[in-house]
Amino acid sequence: LLTTFATAMLVTTCMGALAAAPMAKKRSTVGPVYDILEPSIYEQLQALLEQKRASGELAKIEKEGRERAEQSMRMPTPVEGLKIARVKRSWTYDPSILATQDIHDNEGNLIVARGTAVSPLEQVGWRPMVFFDQRDESQVRMAKKFMAEWGGRGKAVLVAGSWMDLSKVWKQQIFFDQKGPLVQRFNIQAVPATVTQQGRLLLI
């Protein structure tokens, strides 16, 4: 039975090949064929690049790109949506994290039970922060006053202006809240604004 089946499969395969052969011969060109005359886009780009290099335009473009990058680094895009603080307001922010499961140490001792609110301020002290616009001289003066009161513990955080220039003038590191993640977290809507520790909470 196996021999008969194998023979049948061989015959079927051969018949299929023979049947396909005449179909292949029927293929023909349905229209005229032409050589590709368009120049290579790669070669065009290379030629354009060489042309701009020879004319000095490429060096000019590179210089402008470096200047834009340096300007963006020196003075990032201001945080949007902030106003100048005209009225004194205050509120608190709770940085506590709610444990979703029991947390144990390496020896199996329970450190934090599930459902417990843990404040990082109980373990690490908060360095006071002042948010301000470096382009506004009155805000700069107020921020410098706060920094002096904090005795070198504070952080100066810009929402607009040049952190690099101010770092040189103050001779200390100035930060920038790029795209405003801290401003959003603390719900700061006007500057200058300070964030200081008040027990387990932050006072804004």
Side-chain angles (χ1 to χ4, degrees), residues 163-174:
W163 63 271
M164 188 178 295
D165 291 345
L166 193 59
S167 294
K168 293 179 180 178
V169 174
W170 285 12
K171 294 181 174 56
Q172 67 181 84
Q173 179 63 57
I174 306 297

Side-chain angles (χ1 to χ4, degrees), residues 32-124:
V33 178
Y34 302 97
D35 293 332
I36 298 176
L37 300 179
E38 290 81 2
S40 166
I41 184 66
Y42 175 77
E43 293 176 354
Q44 284 185 305
L45 291 175
Q46 284 292 103
L48 180 61
L49 188 63
E50 290 299 326
Q51 179 183 349
K52 290 184 178 297
R53 180 179 287 111
S55 66
E57 186 177 355
L58 182 60
K60 180 181 178 182
I61 293 174
E62 292 175 345
K63 180 182 178 182
E64 291 175 349
R66 288 194 300 270
E67 290 175 349
R68 284 194 300 269
E70 182 180 348
Q71 178 65 16
S72 177
M73 181 180 67
R74 178 185 297 273
M75 187 175 292
T77 303
V79 179
E80 297 181 354
L82 293 176
K83 302 176 182 178
I84 297 177
R86 303 294 185 186
V87 180
K88 186 175 181 179
R89 295 177 57 240
S90 62
W91 60 95
T92 57
Y93 173 82
D94 188 353
S96 297
I97 302 172
L98 187 66
T100 58
Q101 60 184 12
D102 291 341
I103 300 176
H104 301 82
D105 61 16
N106 294 335
E107 298 178 356
N109 300 314
L110 180 65
I111 300 177
V112 179
R114 177 182 178 183
T116 303
V118 180
S119 174
L121 297 179
E122 295 178 338
Q123 306 296 328
V124 181

